[in-house]
Amino acid sequence: MKIMCLNGWGGKLHEELLPYIASTAPDILCLQEVVHSPETEKDWLTYRDGDHVLPQRANFFRDVCRALPDHVAVFCPAAQGVLWDEEQSIASQWGLATFVHRSLPIVGQVQAFVHKDFSPVGYGDHPRSRSAHGVRVFDYIANRPLSVTHMHGLRDLNGKMDTPERSAQAQKLLDLSRQVSEPDDLTVICGDFNVERDSQTLKILSELVTARGFKGTRNSHYKKPGRYADYMLINREAAVTGFDVVYDPEVSDHCPLILEL
């Protein structure tokens, strides 16, 4: 069983990202920063937020679905706002998505918000709405159920330090994981948490990135200080047969996390 967690950066590096995902073919892909713009067939649109301007794959969700044709895909929007085709505004949804290989029966799901609620008329003020999605599958090879829950943690303009909002977010994430799991399940929680490596968020289960000595989860495309954002947690570390933070190839400004069970 291979589980990948990745912040896709809105598909900015799609020419590198899509072949990498297709060739790696994780059994479960937890993908954050996913763009879905059903009103347009354009390949690219532009995100504008003050001086923050970023090209976005207009239908990134569709792109990844095509790269993983043997997976069941679920898109979980956090907000609908506006992207731009030059001076024309295009309604676009933003959120996260989960891709599960069709050989794995999905026997439970949960989708909810860990911060605020769905924002239907704009992305909103920071810290913006954030959602989470969890699936429970049955792994026939290992003969056991498994739950995987991921989120994209809130972005606080003041930094990645612990705050009451992040504490509440962590508790909601844990509650969602418990909601989709049975007590004896092997349980994985992952995502772009947007917290520092000493955050209390990482105490909810056994955390793998820092515990195994990785130097961060960012690559050369990320120019700001602070090298940690993405984490993988598990309730039974003995079940781990492999774990890696992938620095090469660079398919986003975040590194893929790959867990093998």
Side-chain angles (χ1 to χ4, degrees):
M1 168 75 70
K2 183 186 296 183
I3 301 166
M4 179 188 293
C5 179
L6 174 64
N7 181 316
W9 204 18
K12 183 178 178 181
L13 300 182
H14 84 289
E15 290 187 359
E16 295 81 8
L17 187 151
L18 296 179
Y20 173 74
I21 288 176
S23 64
T24 306
D27 297 290
I28 299 175
L29 169 62
C30 299
L31 189 65
Q32 302 91 47
E33 281 199 28
V34 180
V35 181
H36 176 51
S37 310
E39 294 185 6
T40 183
E41 292 298 316
K42 290 279 188 176
D43 289 330
W44 291 99
L45 296 172
T46 302
Y47 169 77
R48 299 173 184 167
D49 182 13
D51 59 359
H52 187 198
V53 178
L54 187 68
Q56 303 274 273
R57 284 295 289 181
N59 283 291
F60 186 32
F61 178 60
R62 177 199 63 195
D63 295 341
V64 180
C65 288
R66 290 175 175 172
L68 295 174
D70 293 328
H71 287 62
V72 176
V74 180
F75 175 65
C76 304
Q80 178 164 302
V82 167
L83 297 180
W84 296 89
D85 176 15
E86 296 183 350
E87 297 308 313
Q88 180 184 0
S89 62
I90 305 290
S92 182
Q93 297 169 19
W94 180 93
L96 49 79
T98 309
F99 301 81
V100 180
H101 194 274
R102 62 185 180 184
S103 65
L104 295 170
I106 300 173
V107 297
Q109 286 191 74
V110 62
Q111 176 185 353
F113 282 77
V114 292
H115 184 69
K116 295 183 177 178
D117 200 350
F118 180 68
S119 178
V121 288
Y123 299 123
D125 296 329
H126 293 290
R128 292 170 171 169
S129 300
R130 301 291 185 168
S131 60
H133 183 234
V135 294
R136 185 174 188 251
V137 303
F138 193 85
D139 179 357
Y140 276 99
I141 294 177
N143 193 33
R144 66 188 173 199
L146 163 73
S147 76
V148 181
T149 304
H150 69 118
M151 76 164 181
H152 187 183
L154 67 88
R155 177 178 177 236
D156 188 325
L157 297 181
N158 294 315
K160 295 182 179 178
M161 64 290 177
D162 280 344
T163 62
E165 291 79 12
R166 285 194 168 112
S167 295
Q169 173 181 257
Q171 186 59 55
K172 289 179 180 179
L173 178 63
L174 182 59
D175 289 346
L176 287 171
S177 174
R178 288 171 173 168
Q179 184 179 333
V180 79
S181 309
E182 294 297 327
D184 294 331
D185 284 0
L186 182 60
T187 300
V188 175
I189 298 177
C190 58
D192 173 7
F193 290 177
N194 265 325
V195 297
E196 299 288 359
R197 56 183 174 174
D198 59 352
S199 171
Q200 290 300 308
T201 299
L202 307 185
K203 310 298 183 185
I204 59 178
L205 291 179
S206 296
E207 193 278 313
L208 299 176
V209 173
T210 60
R212 299 193 173 209
F214 289 96
K215 61 184 180 182
T217 63
R218 295 289 205 165
N219 58 37
S220 66
H221 290 279
Y222 187 73
K223 307 302 183 183
K224 300 176 185 178
R227 308 311 297 173
Y228 292 87
D230 313 86
Y231 300 94
M232 186 85 74
L233 292 75
I234 192 167
N235 66 335
R236 294 201 296 272
E237 195 168 348
V240 177
T241 60
F243 177 73
D244 198 15
V245 176
V246 179
Y247 298 102
D248 183 31
E250 295 186 345
V251 297
S252 168
D253 62 342
H254 294 251
C255 300
L257 311 183
I258 297 182
L259 172 66
E260 296 187 55
L261 302 171

